[in-house]
Amino acid sequence: MVPSRREQILAVAAELFAARGFHGVSVTDLGAACGMSGPALYRHFDSKDAMLAEMLVSISQELLTVGRRRAAAAGSPAEAVRELVDWHIDFALANPALIVVQDRDWASLPDEARERVRSLQRRYVELWVAQLRRCDEGVAPRQARAMAHAIFGLLNSTPHSARLPEPEMREVLRRMALDALGVTGPVLR
């Protein structure tokens, strides 16, 4: 599927924001990188802040939506956790710029968008919590939350740690995550 012009602009903006920071990129810089004038961007977005908001809200929504779908299609709790791990690895390896932007430019996100992202992220964490607790009912909710956040930390380190070819890095991350979570079953696809 060919990305829309709006999606193309967001992808370029994510790369620029990751490289130079949200405040280090002007609308003129964004326009030039997208092959248009800076003011022409306003046909697609109300502001640079709106770009950042859509970028982070949409990826948070996608993480939750796809995560729910993959967990629901799984045949067992352990398979659901493996599907969530695989999905998050897919996301992390495909979107290192978004991870950097989320980490570094969180404070620049407009308040309403920040609350929307937080809400989506909390629901994504709770999806993981539910599946982890289905695998081991002895795991308390707060322990499962800590486990999920620790795995996110590992997987979201890819902008800084992905030094291997992608297939090899994917397998290293998968093995580490599943081992850390204590998920049994076949590790290799």
Side-chain angles (χ1 to χ4, degrees):
M1 184 167 100
V2 176
S4 70
R5 186 63 173 140
R6 192 175 177 89
E7 291 167 332
Q8 292 170 353
I9 292 167
L10 286 174
V12 169
E15 292 296 329
L16 287 174
F17 294 166
R20 300 187 341 219
F22 177 74
H23 294 294
V25 178
S26 70
V27 172
T28 302
D29 296 333
L30 281 168
C34 293
M36 64 178 73
S37 71
L41 288 171
Y42 294 120
R43 281 186 253 143
H44 301 278
F45 296 93
D46 291 339
S47 66
K48 192 172 83 164
D49 289 350
M51 279 184 231
L52 180 64
E54 185 168 328
M55 185 184 300
L56 296 181
V57 169
S58 66
I59 198 61
S60 297
Q61 182 63 60
E62 184 179 355
L63 277 166
L64 178 61
T65 300
V66 175
R68 281 179 174 163
R69 183 172 48 241
R70 289 180 76 163
S76 70
E79 184 183 340
V81 171
R82 286 192 294 274
E83 285 295 324
L84 288 172
V85 166
D86 287 344
W87 162 234
H88 204 96
I89 291 169
D90 291 346
F91 159 77
L93 290 175
N95 298 287
L98 288 173
I99 293 170
V100 170
V101 171
Q102 164 93 21
D103 287 345
R104 187 181 45 219
D105 295 312
W106 176 257
S108 298
L109 199 59
D111 291 341
E112 184 178 317
R114 191 177 311 121
E115 287 308 311
R116 179 80 175 126
V117 170
R118 276 190 184 132
S119 173
L120 291 164
Q121 289 176 345
R122 277 194 291 274
R123 288 187 282 178
Y124 184 60
V125 169
E126 292 308 311
L127 172 65
W128 280 71
V129 167
Q131 298 308 320
L132 290 168
R133 294 194 70 223
R134 286 181 64 213
C135 284
D136 183 350
E137 293 175 5
V139 173
R142 62 186 268 253
Q143 291 171 318
R145 273 186 213 90
M147 292 166 68
H149 282 289
I151 294 303
F152 298 160
L154 167 68
L155 301 179
N156 289 345
S157 73
T158 55
H160 314 291
S161 66
R163 307 275 189 252
L164 300 171
E166 186 175 309
E168 196 175 342
M169 190 68 200
R170 178 179 304 281
E171 192 54 37
V172 165
L173 290 169
R174 189 168 198 267
R175 285 179 187 208
M176 290 176 70
L178 294 178
D179 285 351
L181 293 170
V183 177
T184 60
V187 174
L188 299 174
R189 287 185 177 188

